[in-house]
Each structure stands twice: as structure tokens, then as C-alpha cells.
Amino acid sequence: MNLRRDVFQAIADPTRRTILLLVATQSMTAGAIASNFDTARPTVSKHLQILTECELLEQKQNGREIFYHINAKKMKEVAEFIEPFRQMWDDRFNKLETIMKTYQSKTTE
């Protein structure tokens, strides 16, 4: 049975989010990524495997080294899914801010 990894479970882990931030600006090897963590390299490799399986990272071989880079298309899909929720919360916080300002002006009068 071939189960596909869930993107949101993958990005729920703080280490995997950090990996995504690291490779967001430049492609990196597993060793370069692992050097940013105080964990064993196999642990980082497992995180890279999960991010690759859910298509947030892509691999590109250059000689003997494998470089990891962001899959911008998949990240865009995630962002598009989250956007309506962000807008909903922005609207709610804006309404709350309006209420708080109204309340503050009434208490200072």
C-alpha cells in the first residue's frame, strides 16, 4: 500500500519548516542542511525524505551530490489553500481592532 505524505503534517514539524526556510533562497545538499541542526544526519535525512515525498522539496543531482530545492508550485498550492483562512482571520482581527478603538475612545471621554 503506497500512502502519500500529507503536506500539512510535513510542515507541522518545526525542523521541516526550518529546512524549508533554509532552502527557500538557495539549493543545498543534505550535508549543508544537516550542519544547521544539532541532530544526527539520518534524522535530517528522514525529514528531507518526508518533504520530498510530499513534493515540497525537489532533488537535483549535480555530479555525486544531490541538491534540495523548494518546489515553488507545491508551495503555491499550499499558500492558495491557506489564503481564505488568512483573510478570514485578518477580517476578524480588523473588526476586533475597530471595537477596541471604539471602546478606548468611550473610556477616555
Side-chain angles (χ1 to χ4, degrees):
M1 187 162 139
N2 186 11
L3 293 177
R4 188 159 175 207
R5 299 251 184 214
D6 179 69
V7 171
F8 295 101
Q9 287 179 337
I11 60 177
D13 184 275
T15 301
R16 291 193 282 271
R17 288 194 305 268
T18 302
I19 291 170
L20 290 171
L21 289 171
L22 285 170
V23 299
T25 56
Q26 66 180 1
S27 296
M28 298 176 76
T29 63
I33 294 167
S35 70
N36 290 277
F37 298 96
D38 292 329
T39 58
R41 187 166 171 170
T43 303
V44 173
S45 292
K46 182 65 178 174
H47 288 300
L48 291 170
Q49 177 187 358
I50 291 168
L51 291 168
T52 302
E53 286 176 3
C54 69
E55 300 176 349
L56 289 170
L57 288 183
E58 293 178 335
Q59 299 175 344
K60 183 176 181 182
Q61 188 148 359
N62 186 1
R64 290 180 14 181
E65 294 184 315
I66 296 174
F67 285 84
Y68 292 87
H69 62 274
I70 289 283
N71 178 353
K73 182 179 177 185
K74 190 66 168 187
M75 293 297 285
K76 186 173 189 274
E77 288 176 18
V78 172
E80 287 172 350
F81 177 81
I82 293 172
E83 182 61 22
F85 299 101
R86 189 194 62 77
Q87 288 177 353
M88 176 187 67
W89 283 106
D90 280 350
D91 291 344
R92 289 182 181 184
F93 283 123
N94 289 339
K95 287 177 184 175
L96 179 60
E97 182 178 29
T98 302
I99 291 169
M100 294 300 292
K101 285 180 179 177
T102 303
Y103 177 77
Q104 285 176 341
S105 66
K106 286 182 180 178
T107 59
T108 57
E109 292 176 354

